[in-house]
Amino acid sequence: MSESPLTIVIVDEDPVFRLGLITVLGRETDVQVLGEGDALDNLRQQLETLAPSVLLIDPQFPRRSQSGWPLLRQLSSAYPQVKICLLTASLEYDQLLAAKTQGVAAYFPKGTAIADLVTGLKQVHGGQTCWPSLQTVNAPPLSLWERLIWPLFRDGLGQIEQGLQQVQVSLQVPSLSDFDRIFWQGRQRELKFAQWLVQHLLPHRLKTWRKATNVLTATPTALPTPTPSPRRSGVRAITLRPPGNLSALGQILQQMSLQVENLTPIPLELDILQPLKRQELLSLGQQQLETTINELQALRITPAQLPENCLSIVGEMWRSLSLTFFGKYCQPKSEFSLEQIQSLLEVYQPIICREKLIKIPFVVPLFHHLLFADPLVVNQKAYPLGSPEAKQYSDLYAQNLVIQLANSTMVFILNYFADHEAIKLALYEHSMLSSRQVARFRNDLAWYYQFSRYWINPKQIFESQHTLLYLTPAGIVATQVYAPRQQELAQLRAVPCFVTIVLECRDALSPRVRSVIEFLGNGVVFLLTQVVGRAIGLVGKGIIQGIGNTWQDSRNQQKRSN
């Protein structure tokens, strides 16, 4: 036990509670309360001037300013000589574990007996800690279903952790070639994405139970260590291994040696790329889709979890694709590092999700069909997995998803690196190298975005259609697919809503206008043919008859004179 007196500063929002606590603690001969209050503004000043040995604080009360939990982290690092003790309402296990990790010395729930509180404070003052057993705090018993699915998550996290360790070992090899380094960095990003996905899909009760019972994600000894696949250096090391239900995309890409032409009137972000780079980006997008489908199957994601997480999954697919594709051209010996690109992508990801990825249609039905073998509903008809129609439409949806992911990747590059010389030489077509051509290309895209936003999209919503892009051996073409869009139609506002009103008015008026024009046209035709035409015909006939009679009389006179 320390010989110095136990000095305390109390911070709590309840003045009556503070007064009672000060009165009770004041009866202890070796305890001294130096200060108290309900404000955080002068707390640092109190700690510096009063120099207490213990800060007794409720971290959940400062609702009027910043949260108390970030404040605890700051105080713990700024004043290591002050022992921080929590005196607050019952906390969840996550909060307790975070507080203990941050260096908080003790936790006392409000309602703790004074004798126990004083004993605990003295233990802290003497250099000890006073914590409840974290093994049993708020650790709810698991249901039978949760106990069944927990080993799947645990083993999956363990395998991912092993893979990350193996990749880290491979990246530390001094003689690693530049392209091999790019490959292992891409593999590391894929594993981190899988780790994020597993942790994101882990039910909250399992997260709490896992922490409360100190269950770590260590790999079981029975699991074999994965062996990294060999990789040869070179740009042409892309391999296409399409999954069973997405074979058409890979076959078409294999048939395209160098050309992936845009055969639609729609301007695409891909158009600025060299043909080989276009094919490479689409190939990487197809591989990313295949990897995501396989990972979701391994994670045993449920149908209920998929819709609410679908946009996040597609967003991570876009981020991984952008890092994989653009990472080749910012490494090595480049002014752009992968860390810088990743930071930019994290900032840009919410924007691209809101402006581009959320508008990609049929993603949830496609994933449901591929993951859970749900029938694919097209034009109000359900087609089971394996049927020719289901295969045709699943390939169509998958190809549109890959093309839109590739376009979204180019949106990021055009927004941040459009006029960078090294990027232009590595990616753009020769005719697009000048700054004027790049600016013209971006302006054309910007105009199309606005035209699409205010005319094309409202028109397609009103017509219950989606435009899908897909690949043929000749290039990228477009098609229209029916889909009910009444909910989107009801959400239209301002100009898009006015466009639908204009279209409805045109549909309502055009048959009547055509009928009037047709009636007037028929009347004009009747007037010209039956009235004017006959009158002209009669006049012409009379003139011809008069000429004929005159000619006949002239001949008769000549005969009589002879």
Side-chain angles (χ1 to χ4, degrees):
M1 182 75 64
S2 174
E3 296 181 358
S4 60
L6 173 57
T7 55
I8 304 175
V9 169
I10 301 174
V11 180
D12 193 281
E13 67 175 343
D14 189 349
V16 177
F17 177 79
R18 292 199 313 272
L19 179 60
L21 186 59
I22 293 172
T23 303
V24 173
L25 292 177
R27 298 172 185 170
E28 301 291 330
T29 56
D30 52 352
V31 177
Q32 182 181 3
V33 179
L34 299 181
E36 53 87 19
D38 62 349
L40 301 178
D41 300 334
N42 59 349
L43 179 57
R44 293 177 182 273
Q45 183 179 359
Q46 289 186 26
L47 295 180
E48 291 176 356
T49 57
L50 302 177
S53 56
V54 171
L55 172 63
L56 194 59
I57 185 172
D58 182 355
Q60 300 195 106
F61 86 84
R63 305 181 183 91
R64 290 169 294 180
S65 56
Q66 61 174 333
S67 175
W69 295 106
L71 177 67
L72 290 184
R73 290 194 294 269
Q74 299 170 10
L75 295 178
S76 179
S77 59
Y79 306 98
Q81 72 280 5
V82 179
K83 304 296 192 306
I84 299 177
C85 299
L86 305 183
L87 180 59
T88 184
S90 297
L91 297 177
E92 293 294 332
Y93 177 82
D94 293 347
Q95 295 172 317
L96 285 175
L97 183 60
K100 187 174 182 180
T101 305
Q102 293 164 13
V104 175
Y107 161 63
F108 305 102
K110 284 188 175 179
T112 302
I114 295 298
D116 296 337
L117 176 62
V118 172
T119 301
L121 291 175
K122 290 180 178 180
Q123 289 178 1
V124 171
H125 182 56
Q128 303 178 23
T129 59
C130 184
W131 279 92
S133 174
L134 296 185
Q135 298 290 332
T136 57
V137 175
N138 292 328
L142 296 183
S143 64
L144 177 60
W145 169 246
E146 290 169 334
R147 291 188 179 276
L148 288 175
I149 65 173
W150 164 244
L152 301 175
F153 283 97
R154 180 196 61 202
D155 295 347
L157 287 170
Q159 292 184 17
I160 292 171
E161 187 63 32
Q162 274 192 343
L164 285 172
Q165 293 174 1
Q166 183 63 44
V167 169
Q168 191 63 33
V169 171
S170 301
L171 286 173
Q172 293 175 356
V173 176
S175 59
L176 195 66
S177 67
D178 294 334
F179 290 109
D180 284 339
R181 185 174 301 278
I182 292 172
F183 165 75
W184 286 116
Q185 287 172 344
R187 179 60 178 163
Q188 186 180 48
R189 291 191 296 271
E190 291 176 357
L191 289 172
K192 286 183 178 180
F193 166 61
Q195 188 180 53
W196 171 86
L197 192 59
V198 174
Q199 294 172 349
H200 191 68
L201 295 176
L202 191 66
H204 179 71
R205 280 170 52 88
L206 278 181
K207 292 179 183 177
T208 304
W209 180 84
R210 171 192 170 197
K211 294 177 181 178
T213 53
N214 272 342
V215 179
L216 303 178
T217 57
T219 307
T221 56
L223 291 176
T225 303
T227 304
S229 58
R231 174 81 170 182
R232 296 190 301 269
S233 299
V235 178
R236 302 299 300 165
I238 297 174
T239 57
L240 295 176
R241 298 182 303 277
N245 295 323
L246 301 175
S247 57
L249 178 58
Q251 291 174 358
I252 292 171
L253 287 173
Q254 286 176 331
Q255 294 172 9
M256 294 179 178
S257 56
L258 290 176
Q259 301 295 326
V260 186
E261 296 295 335
N262 179 15
L263 305 179
T264 71
I266 303 172
L268 302 179
E269 293 82 355
L270 289 171
D271 294 342
I272 199 172
L273 288 175
Q274 301 170 17
L276 181 60
K277 298 300 186 294
R278 241 177 272 156
Q279 186 189 29
E280 180 182 347
L281 180 55
L282 291 172
S283 301
L284 291 173
Q286 187 262 337
Q287 291 183 22
Q288 183 62 48
L289 176 58
E290 174 191 352
T291 301
T292 302
I293 293 296
N294 293 335
E295 288 174 350
L296 292 175
Q297 288 175 337
L299 293 174
R300 307 288 181 88
I301 184 174
T302 63
Q305 292 173 323
L306 182 59
E308 60 183 11
N309 293 290
C310 189
L311 184 59
S312 299
I313 294 171
V314 176
E316 288 299 320
M317 289 172 60
W318 167 81
R319 191 165 72 93
S320 180
L321 174 61
S322 300
L323 279 172
T324 303
F325 179 69
F326 191 57
K328 292 181 59 176
Y329 306 103
C330 65
Q331 285 283 348
K333 297 180 181 180
S334 171
E335 59 183 284
F336 307 114
S337 66
L338 287 178
E339 289 74 15
Q340 292 173 325
I341 302 303
Q342 190 164 3
S343 300
L344 288 175
L345 288 171
E346 289 177 357
V347 174
Y348 199 66
Q349 184 170 346
I351 301 174
I352 205 71
C353 286
R354 183 177 65 252
E355 298 296 332
K356 293 286 288 185
L357 303 182
I358 197 173
K359 299 176 182 178
I360 303 177
F362 306 117
V363 178
V364 174
L366 173 66
F367 282 1
H368 268 285
H369 181 68
L370 299 177
L371 294 172
F372 313 118
D374 291 348
L376 200 62
V377 179
V378 181
N379 296 333
Q380 308 299 321
K381 295 181 180 179
Y383 299 106
L385 182 68
S387 63
E389 295 84 358
K391 179 173 173 47
Q392 174 188 354
Y393 281 99
S394 64
D395 284 336
L396 176 62
Y397 297 165
Q399 291 178 44
N400 181 71
L401 174 59
V402 168
I403 294 172
Q404 297 298 347
L405 284 173
N407 282 328
S408 302
T409 296
M410 288 308 302
V411 169
F412 167 73
I413 295 175
L414 288 170
N415 279 344
Y416 283 97
F417 310 100
D419 213 19
H420 193 273
E421 198 63 31
I423 301 303
K424 287 170 27 177
L425 292 174
L427 298 179
Y428 297 174
E429 283 193 355
H430 182 72
S431 59
M432 292 288 186
L433 293 180
S434 69
S435 298
R436 180 182 180 184
Q437 291 299 329
V438 173
R440 179 181 295 176
F441 182 79
R442 295 181 65 189
N443 289 334
D444 289 343
L445 286 175
W447 278 107
Y448 179 77
Y449 292 159
Q450 297 301 320
F451 181 66
S452 177
R453 177 181 179 183
Y454 292 114
W455 178 259
I456 297 178
N457 286 342
K459 183 173 181 291
Q460 289 190 342
I461 291 174
F462 193 44
E463 294 174 349
S464 299
Q465 289 183 342
H466 285 290
T467 298
L468 300 185
L469 303 175
Y470 67 100
L471 290 166
T472 66
I476 299 175
V477 296
T479 187
Q480 303 290 331
V481 176
Y482 167 79
R485 307 185 69 176
Q486 287 84 357
Q487 185 176 0
E488 297 175 76
L489 183 62
Q491 294 174 351
L492 291 179
R493 297 291 183 272
V495 176
C497 181
F498 178 73
V499 167
T500 61
I501 296 174
V502 170
L503 291 173
E504 186 175 3
C505 293
R506 187 189 70 176
D507 295 340
L509 296 176
S510 59
R512 284 76 186 174
V513 173
R514 283 198 299 266
S515 299
V516 172
I517 293 175
E518 184 179 0
F519 175 77
L520 294 177
N522 292 334
V524 170
V525 170
F526 178 82
L527 180 65
L528 293 176
T529 57
Q530 300 298 322
V531 178
V532 178
R534 287 190 176 185
I536 293 174
L538 292 174
V539 172
K541 183 179 179 181
I543 292 173
I544 293 173
Q545 288 178 349
I547 294 173
N549 293 333
T550 303
W551 180 75
Q552 188 67 29
D553 292 341
S554 174
R555 289 187 64 185
N556 291 335
Q557 283 182 353
Q558 288 179 358
K559 288 180 180 180
R560 285 196 296 269
S561 63
N562 293 333

